[in-house]
Amino acid sequence: MRGSMMMTRSGFPRSSSISVRSCVRSMKEMSLSSTRFSPQPAGSTPRRRTTDINHHVRGNIPTSLSNRHANRKNNRRRPFVALEHTRGRRPTQDPRVMYRTFAASTLLALPLSAALAQTKEPEERRVHATLYTQHSRVEPGQVTWVAVAFDIADEWHIYWPGQNDTGMSPIIEWKLPEGWKIGQPRWPAPHRYLAPGDLLDHVLEGRAVVLYPLRAPDQILPGSGAMIFAHVEWLVCKDMCVAEKQELMYSYRYVGSPGDPLPQTRDEDSQIIAAARAALPALLPRTGSPVRAAMNENGRLEVRADVPGELIFCPHEAGRAVLDVHGSCVSQTGALDVGFKPGDDRPVQGEISLRELDGKVHRYTFRHPSISSDELDGFETEPQKEQPNPGETKP
């Protein structure tokens, strides 16, 4: 059929072969217009240029384009010719044969290139992100939990949103239907990572689960659904750093039509989310904790441990800037005295951890001024008078 694409035995469209042949013909014509040569009788010794400095053509091949086309048929079967060349060089093969050889080798290489491109393995990921949801069906106004889990390759790490020297924490951007609201992220506890050059970062390794409270709208159509999307980017580092990203999505169904069951949980997802919530650092309590923390009259944070062990304060990137993260935020004596940048009016915010000598670890969230759990999740609450942090007691 005219205009259709016909296939050759090699698997390539016939139009591709015609295109290559046309290119070869054009290249040959350009070469013949710039190269002067003369026919060489078979069996004779190639003639060398001696005094022909004006590049006169020997033989019956003219230089005009029309005559060259007229004599092309007669010279097509002649395998070799003696070129007019500079003194001392050997005769060169007929350019027409050279270009045919080039075209044939190119066509043979194309299938191999295509096969290599198809069999090339995708680049290996250092981190794989997964979206987990506590419920598959929700009621109007219900608060459910979603989680973005980062599975990190061995010896690699991503960054906690702390006051780091080099790394930046993952970026999680949500796209929600109208009326839905996402809360603030609840991050797992980090640990300090000191790199060569005295560079300090707060990092996450292994599996890191970032939790978000998600609130459904109050007015929804029973039996309808909604899709949530998350665009995730992160920096993962070992001896070098690699930027990666991933798109995540989940579809909810609303409960409310006759015959619908109560809000349904996703068993496996719910277990993962429940374990991650249990591992979150709790707000520092007023009593019953081996750690006490408070702001003194000089605007410094004092932290004391009632049992021996390693005491660490990891300042959050959204909190007040710490003057000496390297020295003042870690202690083996059970006491911390943390100073802050003058003029910074942001709240003091971070994670306090105590590792006892037997390996037991206590983790707490500290914030001054104090906030409620709902405010920590990022949802609006009724205005309240400022109260001291439940764990903010004089050391």
Side-chain angles (χ1 to χ4, degrees):
M1 181 181 297
R2 186 176 182 85
S4 63
M5 188 72 72
M6 299 181 61
M7 302 298 293
T8 62
R9 289 181 178 272
S10 62
F12 287 90
R14 186 175 299 279
S15 59
S16 300
S17 301
I18 296 174
S19 176
V20 173
R21 188 180 300 116
S22 301
C23 294
V24 172
R25 182 181 298 116
S26 299
M27 295 170 65
K28 179 180 63 177
E29 291 172 0
M30 289 188 294
S31 175
L32 290 176
S33 64
S34 59
T35 307
R36 297 182 172 90
F37 57 90
S38 58
Q40 178 69 27
S44 61
T45 303
R47 293 177 293 183
R48 299 181 181 274
R49 177 191 171 116
T50 54
T51 60
D52 192 2
I53 60 175
N54 294 323
H55 293 264
H56 298 300
V57 178
R58 298 192 183 99
N60 58 356
I61 300 181
T63 58
S64 65
L65 182 62
S66 58
N67 292 336
R68 185 164 62 253
H69 281 290
N71 287 276
R72 184 189 305 159
K73 182 176 181 180
N74 297 330
N75 295 322
R76 183 175 299 168
R77 296 181 179 277
R78 195 180 305 275
F80 292 90
V81 294
L83 296 177
E84 293 290 342
H85 51 77
T86 55
R87 185 179 306 230
R89 293 185 181 177
R90 293 183 180 180
T92 310
Q93 191 176 358
D94 189 342
R96 293 168 292 187
V97 178
M98 295 172 63
Y99 287 128
R100 290 174 193 150
T101 305
F102 170 79
S105 61
T106 302
L107 290 176
L108 289 175
L110 286 175
L112 179 59
S113 301
L116 292 176
Q118 293 176 0
T119 59
K120 184 179 179 180
E121 294 293 334
E123 186 176 354
E124 181 182 1
R125 280 186 176 273
R126 285 83 176 174
V127 177
H128 182 77
T130 307
L131 177 62
Y132 295 99
T133 61
Q134 184 182 18
H135 294 88
S136 59
R137 300 187 180 190
V138 293
E139 291 181 322
Q142 177 185 349
V143 175
T144 184
W145 286 84
V146 295
V148 177
F150 297 92
D151 291 300
I152 309 165
D154 293 341
E155 300 182 0
W156 292 78
H157 60 261
I158 61 175
Y159 294 90
W160 184 76
Q163 297 180 23
N164 302 321
D165 286 340
T166 62
M168 59 179 294
S169 60
I171 299 173
I172 305 176
E173 297 178 345
W174 294 92
K175 184 177 180 181
L176 307 174
E178 184 178 359
W180 289 74
K181 183 177 179 181
I182 195 81
Q184 293 297 318
R186 302 292 301 274
W187 291 84
H191 69 267
R192 289 165 58 103
Y193 178 81
L194 192 62
D198 201 27
L199 299 175
L200 177 64
D201 292 299
H202 303 86
V203 303
L204 302 168
E205 297 176 333
R207 162 165 268 214
V209 182
V210 183
L211 293 162
Y212 285 85
L214 179 67
R215 177 180 289 170
D218 295 331
Q219 302 294 329
I220 55 178
L221 182 63
S224 60
M227 298 184 69
I228 62 172
F229 299 88
H231 173 78
V232 190
E233 298 181 6
W234 60 85
L235 191 67
V236 55
C237 298
K238 184 182 175 183
D239 300 326
M240 63 176 183
C241 291
V242 180
E244 298 180 344
K245 62 182 179 180
Q246 198 169 339
E247 303 290 338
L248 306 175
M249 180 271 292
Y250 185 74
S251 178
Y252 280 101
R253 183 181 175 186
Y254 296 125
V255 175
S257 59
D260 270 342
L262 295 176
Q264 292 183 348
T265 59
R266 294 167 56 87
D267 293 338
E268 181 180 356
D269 290 24
S270 295
Q271 294 175 6
I272 294 174
I273 290 176
R277 291 183 66 185
L280 284 176
L283 286 172
L284 183 63
R286 182 183 297 273
T287 59
S289 168
V291 176
R292 293 170 288 117
M295 302 294 295
N296 63 19
E297 61 275 8
N298 297 322
R300 300 176 69 88
L301 173 63
E302 295 181 355
V303 185
R304 301 291 184 267
D306 295 335
V307 295
E310 183 183 50
L311 193 60
I312 295 177
F313 176 65
C314 298
H316 197 279
E317 64 181 1
R320 194 175 301 177
V322 175
L323 289 175
D324 183 15
V325 181
H326 288 252
S328 66
C329 292
V330 60
S331 172
Q332 306 295 332
T333 62
L336 293 177
D337 185 11
V338 182
F340 300 92
K341 182 179 179 180
D344 191 344
D345 296 330
R346 292 178 295 174
V348 176
Q349 182 178 351
E351 310 293 337
I352 298 175
S353 65
L354 170 64
R355 182 180 294 274
E356 298 184 25
L357 298 179
D358 60 0
K360 185 178 181 179
V361 180
H362 308 269
R363 294 187 174 94
Y364 306 98
T365 295
F366 179 86
R367 181 183 167 101
H368 175 84
S370 62
I371 59 175
S372 66
S373 296
D374 286 341
E375 289 174 316
L376 191 62
D377 291 340
F379 293 131
E380 295 133 352
T381 58
E382 294 296 328
Q384 298 178 356
K385 294 182 180 180
E386 182 176 318
Q387 300 176 356
N389 193 306
E392 193 170 338
T393 57
K394 293 296 182 181

